[in-house]
Amino acid sequence: MTAKPILRTQYQFMMTKRLLPFLFLLPVLCAHGQQGRPVVKTITQYTTALGTDLRISKTGTLSSRSMPQPLETEVCIFIDPSKTFQSVIGIGGSITDAVAENFAKLPAASQQEFLDAYYSKDKGIGYTLARTSIHSSDFSSGSYTYVKDQDPELKTFTVAHDEQYRIPLIKKAILAAGGKLPLYVSPWSPPDWMKTNNSMLKGGKLKPEFRQNWADYFVKFINAYEAKGIPVWGLTVQNEPMATQKWESCIYTAAEERDFIKEYLGPTLKKNGMAEKKLIAWDHNRDQIFQRANILLSDPEAAKYIWGIGFHWYETWTGSGMLFENVKLVKETFPDKQLIFTEGCVEKFNLDSVKNWSLGERYGYSMINDFNSGVSAWTDWNMLLDENGGPNHVGNFCFAPIHADLKSGKLIYTNSYYYLGHFSKFVQPGARRIAASSNRDLLISTAFINPDGKIVIIVMNKSEKTLPYHLWMYGKSSETTSLPHSISTIIID
């Protein structure tokens, strides 16, 4: 039930006759550097596939040959590194109270395994971004705030609660990531006495008379964390501002969020020397992302404070599929603003389902389409939950890429971890997305060029079919194959 995070580098899966023509073991030099085109030295493929032992495993070094014009009958992924789009900021996951509490309950060896699995480039998948909550969320053992009741001046403000589990883990994560880990922070609800329903739970709204106090609360939190050696890169205005949940939640219409930003939160951050913090609006699903972004960003006084628009993937609760075109429309309409995926997880945890291949495929499908829609950063939800999918103080148990079996002290890896790793391990901060096009709907792809010049191509196959295809660039073709229910990362160096 467990799998080690150490990524296999040996060519180790059982070859079959149908795959032999498509995998090549000898590096080749493709000398076609004219017109500024990259000189290709090696093409290396890494694969994760259902029904195999492949988990981000090196599955071959591809050769290349001349192919001026592919035929329509030939399956191809077309790449053009000269056509560039948005830059990548980072890929990572959220360090919630639940994650930190589970981490603290693990034996030391499993704690180190967890840190290596997520933050090491060599031993793990090299996360470069993090999110955490401003006081409690549903993934806390209970509701709490940083101030006592009826303290509008915030004189009692303290983050002492977080010093038990969350702050120590964030500090360890920063060290494991090499000393730098951009962190953004999100509130699920103001304190109950600031709200119209007098509860942190079940929606309600921020009372108008406490708008400035709540803006000051953000500043207090950022200052408190930074005083403890945890830099804060950015913040979101409100987690899921259109959802009345049984857990911590607070409702803002688009107009209310716009006015809170331009009249209170934006000016308060600027006044306190925090104008450089990345202010992220919406932080909810793709279904209404354009309506929200259009209201917020069409107002110059609000837009000047907003760095970008964040979103989740839970629009599927309505029965809809994932609405990537809405994300793309925001980028096309407001190209100077950033897009960031702020949360996604698979809900309704069941321990018997931790090996379900669909868990990872949801991540791969979302990430490829989100990046192709203009996203600059992508953040998973909980990084570590227990064998019950928690803790969660309202029973909203969910899947994580890694679960902790707290009885044995072992880590359980779902295939989500590996699907995420096909992006985070290879796509570096500062990479630019480049043109990638598939001529078959069974193969979906995205591609990047890293700051060091290496080209990273990610190809995913959700079908039951083995699909031989050509990776085509500048009149050259490398033949390979996509296994059923697989994801591959191909590095052109």
Side-chain angles (χ1 to χ4, degrees), residues 402-419:
I402 301 178
H403 285 267
D405 182 345
L406 296 179
K407 296 176 183 177
S408 68
K410 303 293 186 181
L411 300 181
I412 304 166
Y413 292 80
T414 75
N415 73 317
S416 300
Y417 169 81
Y418 302 103
Y419 270 71

Side-chain angles (χ1 to χ4, degrees), residues 26-31 40-43 61-65 478 493:
L26 296 175
V28 295
L29 177 65
C30 306
V40 178
K41 297 179 181 178
T42 58
I43 307 173
T61 304
L62 310 183
S63 65
S64 182
R65 65 177 176 84
S478 297
D493 187 358

Side-chain angles (χ1 to χ4, degrees), residues 78-339:
F78 302 104
I79 304 297
D80 187 348
S82 72
K83 306 300 188 294
T84 61
F85 305 94
Q86 78 275 14
S87 294
V88 174
I89 294 163
I91 298 168
S94 297
I95 300 174
T96 62
D97 286 324
V99 172
E101 187 174 332
N102 288 326
F103 177 85
K105 293 176 180 178
L106 289 170
S110 293
Q111 289 183 347
Q112 189 59 51
E113 181 185 336
F114 169 87
L115 292 170
D116 288 343
Y118 273 119
Y119 295 109
S120 170
K121 280 292 181 189
D122 298 324
K123 300 177 183 178
I125 60 175
Y127 271 3
T128 53
L129 187 64
R131 182 192 189 204
T132 198
S133 64
I134 297 176
H135 57 235
S136 63
S137 69
D138 51 326
F139 279 94
S140 301
S141 292
S143 293
Y144 66 91
T145 71
Y146 301 126
V147 294
K148 294 181 179 179
D149 287 348
Q150 307 304 323
D151 177 17
E153 296 181 4
L154 311 181
K155 292 180 179 180
T156 60
F157 190 96
T158 174
V159 294
H161 174 280
D162 298 356
E163 292 175 355
Q164 182 178 10
Y165 297 126
R166 192 161 18 130
I167 287 173
L169 177 54
I170 293 173
K171 287 183 175 180
K172 289 178 181 179
I174 293 170
L175 288 174
K180 181 181 179 182
L181 184 64
L183 172 74
Y184 66 101
V185 301
S186 304
W188 266 242
S189 171
D192 55 6
W193 50 270
M194 288 189 184
K195 294 177 65 185
T196 57
N197 66 343
N198 297 308
S199 172
M200 292 180 69
L201 315 182
K202 301 179 181 179
K205 293 189 176 187
L206 176 65
K207 293 178 180 178
E209 61 266 32
F210 290 126
R211 288 173 184 164
Q212 184 58 57
N213 310 83
W214 184 227
D216 293 338
Y217 198 103
F218 284 82
V219 171
K220 289 272 192 181
F221 177 81
I222 292 170
N223 280 332
Y225 262 52
E226 294 194 334
K228 296 184 180 299
I230 300 174
V232 174
W233 169 81
L235 65 157
T236 76
V237 179
Q238 168 63 44
N239 179 74
E240 298 184 349
M242 287 298 289
T244 299
Q245 307 283 24
K246 61 182 179 180
W247 53 84
E248 288 85 341
S249 45
C250 184
I251 303 301
Y252 290 80
T253 65
E256 288 166 343
E257 185 175 10
R258 176 199 64 202
D259 294 347
F260 178 63
I261 290 169
K262 74 177 181 179
E263 295 173 10
Y264 296 95
L265 185 54
T268 300
L269 292 170
K270 182 178 180 180
K271 178 182 176 181
N272 287 275
M274 297 182 181
E276 82 286 356
K277 304 299 182 189
K278 312 307 183 189
L279 183 57
I280 301 161
W282 185 224
D283 199 8
H284 204 166
N285 298 329
R286 300 184 188 95
D287 49 5
Q288 290 184 230
I289 188 172
F290 178 75
Q291 186 267 346
R292 180 69 54 136
N294 199 30
I295 295 295
L296 298 175
L297 300 178
S298 294
D299 185 318
E301 290 304 306
K304 69 182 182 182
Y305 295 114
I306 298 170
W307 172 83
I309 302 296
F311 65 95
H312 303 179
W313 72 18
Y314 308 112
E315 67 268 21
T316 53
W317 75 272
T318 64
S320 170
M322 293 183 176
L323 299 169
F324 304 109
E325 287 299 315
N326 291 347
V327 178
K328 185 178 180 181
L329 181 60
V330 172
K331 189 62 178 177
E332 291 173 341
T333 308
F334 304 100
D336 59 327
K337 298 299 182 182
Q338 302 295 323
L339 289 167

